[in-house]
């Protein structure tokens, strides 16, 4: 058996792969945040709560309607996305003209309300959600035992991240969207319904969070607080990647997952802190983040 | 005037006994205690038959939000303004210890059911406090030594990096070593904030140990068990603090084979089943945890003593009431016969359970099979070792 820095090679590779898997969640969540911030200038603190809703809705679909995992991958983001649309139209849209801090406070409050309602209705210990039969089992990669479901999570995350990036950066819809962010009255003058576009973007970001929630349901405890344990790290990812940068949040998400995985090999006690350490260093050296546009 | 005085019936006003259930109604311990614990207290009133015995008993409840300062101010208000005589439940060791001080200061009765810290009957014991259901010593001893006896000779731990996790690791390791087992290693994870435990699980597997000990609680334990199943861990998993509500949340697919300690299981014998079935209308969707059943047991014993010594007396002197409670043997459907020691420790057997496989289970909440029983006189820390001042007296 070969070793790297005194760590057995298989263990190191194993941890790198696990880091990549966690990175997939960070990437998907920070991507939604980046889309919403980049296009709407709203710091969406309710993102963790909406992630939790995605997991809960997939549980509800199974429990009450008998709809399984794969349809839930489409349906849950759709349902939570519509919920996001209603939130945006009725509440969030009133704050666009104000400073960022108002949006942050509002969405933080919304997150507390949503989590409180779920805790009241479903308790705090969570709900069981099984790994779908088709994705059960594991593959022996030689250096580690890789559950098939985790492989699927990485694959799904990469595809979704790529599609989102493609839509925003490479299609005419994305171009219009970006233009609307730069100069809304001008784009409106060309006959584009900007408010509707903004609403749909918010819903889209929310749907991304819900999609990550569905992916998380079989491996994490489906409970009302599941989002709050992720959200701090995810915000750090967005800041490191550069607020509003789509590509930045994707790459940083995967990258920090790997950094975290490595920390677990060398000094596990610091694994929850290392992301914030990186954030401090990046902010000192490059305040706009690794991929952010100059301010 | 004198005439009026004589015509008023000479019926003495029956004083009202007030019970305050201080619990977690909205946070992480809501399911292990919370509203069902309040229902259990009401069940005790019903089973005791307070109305038939001419007693007036009122139950109030409040949410301590897992904050010691909030717990203390609620209890002070209850005692000073509302005339509450007995406080029960109080999951969360921090709040639990703080409330013990208030009960002592105001000379009221305090029956803790939900907190884990063995300090309540150790260095911080007082003449107004009884600790009813379990403590860290009981959990460590039952899970540690009984599992070694059952063949789990080598252990690896996943430990939450704070006082509770480290205390569990230390105590359980002692019992494992004493029973002839070995601790091969421990991975300490940051608390709170860790949701993925796969790295630690892989290290545990690589250690070659037979048993994986989880020195954690709540959602962390649930995530660890779920992910252990996912990674096909070939070890016996032992949860050091797991409640039946956690097993329900996990589902048997993920939890099967898990070993845990609990002093109460609803389907243990005819008496526990009878109690749980009586409770059903008040809490239709769940079966009680040991903490919830404990509030029933503790309240029932309190009512027996209050009735025996007179409600007025019980209201007047909390320490005297606790003294009488210690003198009278306990007996109820949830915990069976038992007793209360000088340091305030309620003694009853502790049980080591294993979670059934889906094939073994007959339906929802049919989750445990019994592996081992530690008798009441051995389940808890020996009286002289806790450092409780009441013991020397």
């Amino acid at each position: 058996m070969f070793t790297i820095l005194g760590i057995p090679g298989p263990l190191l590779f194993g941890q790198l792969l696990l880091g990549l898997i966690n990175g997939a969640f960070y990437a998907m969540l920070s991507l939604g945040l980046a889309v919403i911030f980049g296009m709407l200038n709203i710091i969406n603190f309710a993102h963790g709560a909406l992630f939790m809703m995605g997991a809960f809705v997939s549980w509800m679909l199974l429990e009450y309607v008998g709809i399984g995992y794969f349809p839930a991958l489409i349906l849950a983001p759709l349902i939570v996305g519509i919920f996001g649309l209603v939130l945006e139209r009725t509440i969030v849209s009133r704050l666009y003209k104000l400073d960022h801090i108002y949006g942050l406070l509002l969405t933080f409050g919304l997150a507390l309300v949503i989590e409180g309602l779920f805790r009241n209705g479903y308790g705090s210990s969570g709900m069981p959600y099984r790994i779908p039969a088709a994705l059960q089992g594991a593959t022996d990669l030689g250096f580690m035992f890789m559950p098939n479901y985790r492989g699927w999570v990485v694959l799904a995350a990469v595809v979704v991240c790529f599609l989102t990036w493609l839509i925003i950066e490479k299609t005419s819809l994305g171009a219009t969207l970006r233009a609307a962010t730069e100069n809304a009255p001008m784009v409106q003058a060309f006959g584009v319904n900007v408010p509707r576009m903004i609403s749909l973007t918010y819903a889209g970001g929310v749907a991304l969070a819900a999609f990550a929630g569905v992916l998380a349901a079989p491996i994490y405890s489906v409970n009302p607080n599941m989002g709050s344990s992720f959200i701090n790290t995810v915000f750090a990812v967005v800041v490191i990647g550069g607020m509003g940068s789509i590509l930045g949040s994707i790459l940083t998400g995967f990258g920090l997952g790997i950094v975290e995985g490595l920390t677990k090999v060398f000094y596990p006690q610091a694994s929850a802190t290392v992301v914030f350490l990186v954030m401090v260093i990046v902010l000192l050296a490059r305040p706009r983040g690794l991929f952010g546009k100059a301010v | 005037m004198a005439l009026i005085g004589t015509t008023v019936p000479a019926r003495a006003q029956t004083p009202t006994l007030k019970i305050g259930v201080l619990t977690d109604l909205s946070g992480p311990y809501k399911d292990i205690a919370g509203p069902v614990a309040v229902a259990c207290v009401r069940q005790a009133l019903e089973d005791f038959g307070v109305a038939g015995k001419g007693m007036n008993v009122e139950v109030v409840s409040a949410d301590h939000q897992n904050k010691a300062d909030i717990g203390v101010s609620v209890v002070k208000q209850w005692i000073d303004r509302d005339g509450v005589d007995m406080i029960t439940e109080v999951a969360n060791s921090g709040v639990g210890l703080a409330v013990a001080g208030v009960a002592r200061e105001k000379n009221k009765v305090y029956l803790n059911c939900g907190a884990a810290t063995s300090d309540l009957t150790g260095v911080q014991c007082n003449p107004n406090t009884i600790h009813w259901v379990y403590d860290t010593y009981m959990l460590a001893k039952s899970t540690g030594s009984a599992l070694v006896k059952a063949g789990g000779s080598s252990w690896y731990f996943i430990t939450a990096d704070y006082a509770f996790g480290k205390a569990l690791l230390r105590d359980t390791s002692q019992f494992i070593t004493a029973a002839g087992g070995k601790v091969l290693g421990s991975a300490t994870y940051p608390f709170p904030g860790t949701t993925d435990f796969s790295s630690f699980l892989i290290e545990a597997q690589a250690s070659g140990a037979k048993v994986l000990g989880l020195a954690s609680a709540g959602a962390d334990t649930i995530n660890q068990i779920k992910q252990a199943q996912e990674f096909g861990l070939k070890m016996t998993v032992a949860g050091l603090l797991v409640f039946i509500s956690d097993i329900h949340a996990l589902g048997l697919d993920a939890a099967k084979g898990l070993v845990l300690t609990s002093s109460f299981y609803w389907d243990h014998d005819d008496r526990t089943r009878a109690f749980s079935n009586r409770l059903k209308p008040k809490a239709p969707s769940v079966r009680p945890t040991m903490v919830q059943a404990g509030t029933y047991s503790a309240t029932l014993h309190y009512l027996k003593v209050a009735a025996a010594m007179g409600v007025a007396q019980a209201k007047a002197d909390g320490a005297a009431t606790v003294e009488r409670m210690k003198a009278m043997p306990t007996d109820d459907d949830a915990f069976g016969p038992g007793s209360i020691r000088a340091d305030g420790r309620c003694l009853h057997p502790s049980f080591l359970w294993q979670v059934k496989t889906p094939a073994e289970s007959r339906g929802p909440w049919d989750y445990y099979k019994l592996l081992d029983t530690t008798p009441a006189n051995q389940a808890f820390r020996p009286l002289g070792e806790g450092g409780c001042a009441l013991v020397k007296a």
Side-chain angles (χ1 to χ4, degrees):
Chain A
M1 197 191 289
F2 65 103
T3 59
I4 303 162
L5 295 173
I7 306 283
L11 182 63
L12 195 64
F13 283 135
Q15 302 294 14
L16 280 176
L17 191 61
L18 291 173
L20 198 66
I21 295 166
N22 285 335
F25 281 105
Y26 295 154
M28 270 184 296
L29 283 172
S30 54
L31 178 62
L33 278 180
V35 168
I36 291 172
F37 182 78
M39 307 294 146
L40 282 73
N41 271 335
I42 290 279
I43 302 171
N44 189 29
F45 244 89
H47 218 64
L50 297 161
F51 163 76
M52 176 273 288
M53 278 184 76
F56 255 95
V57 167
S58 59
W59 173 80
M60 287 171 184
L61 286 171
L62 186 67
E63 182 77 9
Y64 302 132
V65 203
I67 293 176
Y69 176 83
F70 290 103
L73 270 180
I74 311 282
L75 282 176
L78 208 63
I79 293 167
V80 181
I82 291 169
F83 175 78
L85 197 67
V86 174
L87 272 190
E88 197 275 342
R89 275 295 81 201
T90 53
I91 306 174
V92 179
S93 59
R94 294 165 196 273
L95 300 179
Y96 291 146
K97 291 182 188 70
L98 301 173
D99 189 73
H100 293 332
I101 194 82
Y102 290 92
L104 187 152
L105 286 174
L106 173 79
T107 50
F108 184 58
L110 283 174
L112 292 180
V113 170
I114 294 169
E115 285 173 1
L117 285 175
F118 272 85
R119 206 156 38 230
N120 209 37
Y122 296 95
S124 51
S125 52
M127 303 297 167
Y129 196 90
R130 291 177 57 173
I131 294 177
L135 297 170
Q136 272 173 6
T139 312
D140 196 346
L141 298 179
F143 61 92
M144 76 170 278
F145 189 75
M146 167 88 164
N148 294 341
Y149 187 79
R150 301 264 171 158
W152 155 252
V153 167
V154 175
L155 186 74
V158 168
V159 169
V160 164
C161 287
F162 178 72
L163 284 180
T164 310
W165 174 81
L166 205 66
I167 289 170
I168 291 180
E169 301 289 341
K170 302 287 167 199
T171 64
S172 61
L173 175 71
T176 322
L177 200 58
R178 279 176 290 135
T181 322
E182 294 294 326
N183 192 338
M186 181 73 86
V187 176
Q188 196 133 21
F190 283 113
V192 176
N193 187 342
V194 172
R196 190 176 70 192
M197 194 162 216
I198 299 270
S199 301
L200 289 174
T201 309
Y202 187 81
V206 168
L208 278 172
F211 183 78
V214 184
L215 285 179
I219 43 178
Y220 297 119
S221 164
V222 181
N223 77 62
N225 303 323
M226 66 188 289
S228 31
S229 45
F230 264 105
I231 196 73
N232 289 336
T233 315
V234 169
F235 265 101
V237 170
V238 174
V239 171
I240 296 167
M243 293 293 288
S245 161
I246 307 290
L247 195 62
S249 62
I250 297 173
L251 295 179
T252 317
F254 280 104
L256 284 179
I258 290 171
V259 169
E260 211 182 59
L262 284 178
T263 316
K264 281 177 179 163
V265 179
F266 294 105
Y267 189 64
Q269 284 90 328
S271 56
T273 325
V274 68
V275 171
F276 300 97
L277 195 69
V278 174
M279 182 176 89
V280 169
I281 295 168
V282 167
L283 284 181
L284 286 174
R286 202 179 151 88
R288 63 192 149 142
L290 293 177
F291 299 85
K293 288 172 225 142
V295 184
Chain B
M1 288 309 245
L3 188 75
I4 295 169
T6 51
T7 51
V8 170
R11 190 185 58 149
Q13 181 75 38
T14 328
T16 301
L17 210 53
K18 273 204 176 176
I19 297 174
V21 189
L22 182 68
T23 185
D24 182 350
L25 292 171
S26 60
Y29 303 133
K30 185 187 166 208
D31 289 355
I32 66 158
V36 179
V38 182
C40 284
V41 168
R42 294 192 192 282
Q43 189 63 43
L45 265 55
E46 225 176 276
D47 288 1
F48 184 68
V50 284
K53 293 190 169 64
M55 285 168 79
N56 290 327
V57 185
E58 236 178 77
V59 179
V60 291
S61 60
D63 188 355
H64 59 46
Q65 298 171 35
N66 291 297
K67 295 183 179 103
D69 56 331
I70 292 183
V72 164
S73 69
V74 167
V75 169
K76 283 189 169 162
Q77 204 173 54
W78 269 353
I79 295 172
D80 293 340
R81 196 192 62 192
D82 307 333
V84 165
D85 306 293
M86 185 272 261
I87 297 114
T88 189
E89 207 294 278
V90 201
N92 182 317
S93 294
V95 188
L97 286 169
V99 169
V102 184
R104 172 79 195 111
E105 180 198 324
K106 308 269 182 188
N107 194 20
K108 296 295 171 189
V109 178
Y110 175 40
L111 311 177
N112 186 294
C113 295
T117 175
S118 53
D119 283 352
L120 273 172
T121 55
V123 286
Q124 301 209 42
C125 77
N126 71 45
N128 296 71
T129 301
I130 298 177
H131 198 190
W132 210 270
V133 178
Y134 72 103
D135 59 29
T136 44
Y137 185 97
M138 178 199 105
L139 297 170
K141 174 156 190 185
S142 167
T143 313
S145 22
L147 205 51
V148 174
K149 268 195 285 170
S153 53
S154 55
W155 288 59
Y156 189 92
F157 281 94
I158 294 185
T159 309
D161 196 6
Y162 71 116
F164 163 77
K166 288 181 171 172
L168 270 181
L169 169 66
R170 185 195 60 219
D171 294 351
T172 315
S173 301
Q174 275 174 9
F175 290 115
I176 291 168
T177 323
K182 262 193 301 195
V183 178
L184 301 181
S186 166
T188 308
Y189 71 86
F191 174 89
T194 307
T195 45
D196 190 80
F197 296 93
S198 32
S199 308
F200 309 122
L201 293 167
I202 285 175
E203 281 176 47
Q205 181 82 297
S207 76
K210 288 181 187 165
V211 182
L212 173 66
L214 305 177
S216 57
D220 288 357
T221 309
I222 291 180
N223 278 332
Q224 287 155 9
I225 296 168
K226 250 184 153 171
Q227 291 164 16
Q229 183 65 29
E230 193 195 349
F231 279 84
L233 208 70
K234 291 174 189 65
M235 301 166 85
T236 302
V237 182
L240 290 170
L241 183 52
V242 180
F243 296 94
I244 196 165
S245 47
D246 298 326
I247 304 300
H248 190 67
L250 276 161
L252 290 184
D253 265 321
K256 61 175 183 253
L258 179 78
V259 176
L260 62 102
T261 293
S262 173
S263 49
F264 169 85
Y265 172 50
W266 72 274
D267 200 12
H268 183 206
D269 59 25
D270 287 340
R271 293 188 77 182
T272 57
R273 274 188 291 274
F275 157 67
S276 306
N277 289 336
R278 285 200 301 278
L279 185 71
K280 200 85 194 155
K282 292 190 182 66
S285 57
V286 300
R287 292 297 190 177
T289 63
M290 62 170 165
V291 171
Q292 292 157 349
T295 59
Y296 167 82
S297 171
T299 307
L300 195 61
H301 189 63
Y302 172 72
L303 292 173
K304 284 181 196 166
V305 168
M309 69 191 287
V311 170
Q313 230 108 27
K315 284 182 78 74
D317 190 345
T321 312
V322 167
E323 201 54 50
R324 290 282 292 262
M325 290 179 76
K326 288 176 182 170
M328 183 193 275
T330 61
D331 189 22
D332 61 79
D333 281 352
F335 282 75
S339 60
I340 302 162
R341 221 162 52 176
D343 60 355
R345 179 67 255 168
C346 179
L347 302 179
H348 42 71
S350 71
F351 306 104
L352 189 70
W353 308 93
Q354 184 159 37
V355 176
K356 292 181 172 179
T357 63
E360 289 169 320
S361 170
R362 295 184 308 270
W365 301 98
D366 177 24
Y367 291 160
Y368 294 172
K369 53 190 180 197
L370 187 62
L371 285 189
D372 198 20
T373 304
T374 310
N377 59 358
Q378 291 167 30
F380 294 93
R381 182 175 55 205
L383 188 58
E385 288 176 18
C388 167
L390 295 170
V391 177
K392 291 165 204 142

